[in-house]
Amino acid sequence: MTAIEPNAVPFASPGAADGAPYVTTPVAYDAILLAGFGGPEGQEDVIPFLRNVTRGRGIPDERLEEVAHHYRHFGGVSPINGQNRVLKEALQKALVERGIDLPVYWGNRNWAPYLEEVVSEASVNGHNSLLAFATSAYSSFSSCRQYREDFARVLEETGLGETVTIDKIRPFYDHPGFVEAFEAGVRDAVEGFLAEGVAATDIQILFSTHSIPTADAERSGARDIEWGEGGAYAAQHLAVAAWVMDRVRRTVPGAEDVSWELVYQSRSGPASQPWLEPDVCDVIAELPSRGRKAVAVVPVGFMSDHMEVLWDLDTEAAEAAEEAGLSFTRTPTPGVSPAFVAGIVDLIEERLQGRPNEDRPHVTSLPGAFDVCRPGCCENVRAGFKPAAAGLVP
């Protein structure tokens, strides 16, 4: 194995700078950076927000308006900012209760409060060693590397790259605190359908996550691991769904014959570009032909009930189920459940203590939940590699 040079990771703390996949030395961070996607908070914000999301892609406002109606249906307000405000407060309280004296800053990639403003504020306050928790659990360009590129961009644009370091918490898709809500939701859904007299063979569980371009999916995760079709992104979702169903089948009497599959939602690319399939609503429409009478949709790719959950699942998927004559339920996301918030604190403690990988909680056997992303991880083939924090170049 080729030795990695010291300071091989841009903008990293001393503990992560040598590029080892897992940081096993304690790091004395100054603060936690809660990094979110962002969302509009009024009708006048919708198009400017969508311009931010699609910057550099040359999408005209007329096409953006096709997506804007999802937000306009809810008064132009995305719930995601409010949810992150609540999460910030809950996380700060949980840190205090755990005896961890670290402030929590919250900044977004695409809407106020912007990351550049928040990182600058943290530095002014003397908090220059930041540990970032990105509000996305899985490995892909949009859910991991894009956050890391934004961290690097912010440090370069603010001129803080010589004084501020930003490390990133590992992908947490299989942390017990994250998956507990999905397990409980599926259990409740199956028990509810069985109590209503629906046979187990007539029940379908659909684990749903955000679709991404197939090319991005194939390049998700570390390049030296064989992930299979769909890369780390698909493999991680499938592993979590399989774990949830194994638990439910073993703990709910009569659930052994309940069927499940992974589906995708929220596609936004041109028809000519391949994205991960099948679509959740297309699958729901064909379930009666499989003999199904009830469907539970599990938002396994999402941390909270933001727009993709409220519109694509609670609205469109629910309508598709009604049209198909199916009983329908949508299970909860982790949100700010005590287990999930405690799980975030566990993830923070891993880095504060330099906890070895073998001592970190996880429910699947997949490799690759690295503290420091590996070279070539989660490439965006359309834009190429940009400078990124919390990982080895490129």
Side-chain angles (χ1 to χ4, degrees):
M1 182 176 178
T2 304
I4 297 172
E5 294 296 324
N7 302 314
V9 184
F11 313 113
S13 71
D18 65 358
Y22 304 104
V23 178
T24 56
T25 57
V27 178
Y29 293 103
D30 297 330
I32 304 302
L33 175 60
L34 176 62
F37 187 82
E41 301 199 74
Q43 294 286 14
E44 69 282 359
D45 297 342
V46 174
I47 292 300
F49 161 74
L50 292 174
R51 289 180 190 140
N52 286 345
V53 174
T54 60
R55 66 174 69 88
R57 291 162 56 185
I59 299 177
D61 285 359
E62 307 86 76
R63 282 187 57 196
L64 295 179
E65 196 62 51
E66 295 174 11
V67 177
H69 79 277
H70 301 171
Y71 295 94
R72 301 204 187 285
H73 177 81
F74 295 95
V77 179
S78 167
I80 196 168
N81 276 357
Q83 290 163 1
N84 279 331
R85 289 186 183 97
V86 175
L87 177 61
K88 177 180 180 291
E89 292 180 6
L91 179 56
Q92 188 71 78
K93 180 180 178 182
L95 287 169
V96 171
E97 292 173 348
R98 198 81 67 92
I100 299 173
D101 184 20
L102 291 176
V104 179
Y105 293 89
W106 161 51
N108 293 323
R109 288 175 40 216
N110 298 298
W111 201 250
Y114 290 102
L115 281 169
E116 40 267 67
E117 300 167 355
V118 172
V119 171
S120 296
E121 177 190 358
S123 182
V124 167
N125 292 338
H127 301 139
N128 292 316
S129 179
L130 307 179
L131 178 62
F133 176 83
T135 55
S136 189
Y138 297 86
S139 297
S140 75
F141 172 73
S142 57
S143 58
C144 186
R145 186 178 183 92
Q146 196 167 18
Y147 281 94
R148 298 196 297 111
E149 290 183 356
D150 278 332
F151 296 155
R153 174 186 57 80
V154 164
L155 292 177
E156 289 177 338
E157 290 180 355
T158 59
L160 293 172
E162 297 297 321
T163 56
V164 173
T165 63
I166 302 179
D167 293 343
K168 180 181 176 293
I169 286 172
R170 64 180 172 94
F172 56 89
Y173 61 92
D174 68 346
H175 191 284
F178 178 67
V179 299
E180 180 181 274
F182 302 121
E183 179 194 355
V186 173
R187 184 187 304 112
D188 289 347
V190 171
E191 288 177 341
F193 287 143
L194 291 174
E196 292 169 3
V198 181
T201 52
D202 295 338
I203 299 171
Q204 183 73 37
I205 309 298
L206 298 179
F207 291 89
S208 190
T209 190
H210 207 301
S211 185
I212 61 175
T214 303
D216 288 354
E218 295 293 342
R219 289 165 176 78
S220 59
R223 298 294 77 223
D224 59 350
I225 296 175
E226 293 293 331
W227 297 106
E229 186 178 359
Y233 187 73
Q236 291 168 357
H237 284 87
L238 285 167
V240 171
W243 180 85
V244 168
M245 288 307 301
D246 177 68
R247 296 271 294 188
V248 170
R249 285 169 170 165
R250 288 191 290 109
T251 57
V252 177
E256 297 83 359
D257 295 324
V258 174
S259 298
W260 69 273
E261 67 182 287
L262 179 65
V263 297
Y264 298 92
Q265 62 175 89
S266 312
R267 177 195 169 119
S268 60
S272 59
Q273 183 183 47
W275 281 52
L276 292 178
E277 296 178 335
D279 177 79
V280 58
C281 290
D282 291 344
V283 172
I284 288 173
E286 68 181 37
L287 288 180
S289 67
R290 303 187 199 175
R292 305 291 189 265
K293 297 179 180 178
V295 58
V297 176
V298 186
V300 70
F302 303 95
M303 221 181 72
S304 62
D305 290 4
H306 50 73
M307 190 59 65
E308 282 81 359
V309 175
L310 295 183
W311 180 263
D312 296 344
L313 299 184
D314 291 356
T315 304
E316 292 187 337
E319 290 174 354
E322 183 177 8
E323 291 174 4
L326 298 166
S327 296
F328 173 87
T329 188
R330 193 269 291 174
T331 69
T333 53
V336 292
S337 67
F340 181 48
V341 176
I344 299 174
V345 179
D346 290 343
L347 290 162
I348 292 168
E349 283 190 327
E350 287 180 0
R351 302 299 294 275
L352 291 172
Q353 299 171 358
R355 191 175 300 162
N357 183 51
E358 58 268 22
D359 295 335
R360 300 177 180 187
H362 54 86
V363 302
T364 79
S365 60
L366 285 182
F370 300 125
D371 298 329
V372 178
C373 290
R374 315 323 291 158
C377 181
C378 298
E379 177 186 7
N380 180 341
V381 293
R382 297 173 304 284
F385 289 113
K386 298 177 182 178
L392 289 160
V393 295

